[in-house]
Amino acid sequence: MQLPIRSIWVFHAAARAGSISRAAEELSVTPSAVSQQIQALETQLGVSLMSRMGRRVVLTEAGERYFATITDEIERIAEATGLIRGYRSVTTLTVRATPTLSNKWLLPRLAGFMDAHPDLEIRLDGTNEPTDFKREVVDVEIRHGDGRWPGLFVEPMAEEAFLPACAPGHVPDGGVEPADLVAYRLIHSVKSQAQWSRWFGLAGVDTAERWRRVLFDRSHMAIDAAVSGMGIALESTLMMEKELATGRLVCPVADPPGVRLVTQWIVCPHDQLRQRKVRLFLDWLRAERDAWQQRHPGGMAA
């Protein structure tokens, strides 16, 4: 049986308006055309859906049940149609990035990209979950990891330096030695590739005694905790850029050992590189990354 979409839509409009004439005005047709569509639907269904009472229409019991059943679907179709119409003038670029990179590095810069490309609408998805590009609608991902994802386009974001950082005044003026940090509460980012044990090993510090520590599963939480004076974090200069530049975080060690890693990678399927919106975003992202690296040679804070 062919679905009488037009008749269903007309019936819904008349039932919602409670009037044949108002439905006709809304649909830009004549009242008689509305009546004919409703009669055709009633004939196909084999039931009476509404009756006239003066200028108004009243739903029968079957009509009320039918109206309640189709309303949600009609509204979904109307919403989907409105969204598709919007695509004529706006193209959506969906970017997935880790929560910390999204909050600390990408968001402060993103307005510049949007101003340069007003025809693009940005959807930023901040999550640590890797994208399944075969099932999810994501154009570009900035992924945390080791960069080994066969079958995908993979490009390093930047080499990051990992430094101890704390709020000003958290340690005595003049700073402390690496070995002195063991006496302070140490803030750990549990998913970070740079951990305190590695940093102390590079500094030649024996860490046999038990540390006082607090653990977070997101680096942006660890950074904010250090700013609040909770302890000393070991975090990336890429992620702490704003806090270091404004003096809300300082490195408490005069000559810290260098831990340099690439932990963030630009990732997408190779065929998506042909899309204009992806190319524009990657060109902008590379320019921002290169400008950051020029200000922070070797990943170190200026």
Side-chain angles (χ1 to χ4, degrees), residues 106-158:
L106 197 53
L107 275 178
R109 294 169 163 80
L110 202 53
F113 177 77
M114 293 188 293
D115 290 343
H117 303 288
D119 61 316
L120 294 180
E121 181 178 83
I122 305 299
R123 180 176 183 268
L124 181 57
D125 179 5
T127 177
N128 278 321
E129 295 301 318
T131 302
D132 181 348
F133 286 101
K134 293 181 180 179
R135 301 182 61 181
E136 298 180 84
V137 183
V138 174
D139 296 304
V140 178
E141 180 183 2
I142 306 175
R143 183 180 296 185
H144 179 265
D146 59 11
R148 291 180 289 184
W149 300 290
L152 293 173
F153 168 80
V154 179
E155 178 180 327
M157 259 293 288

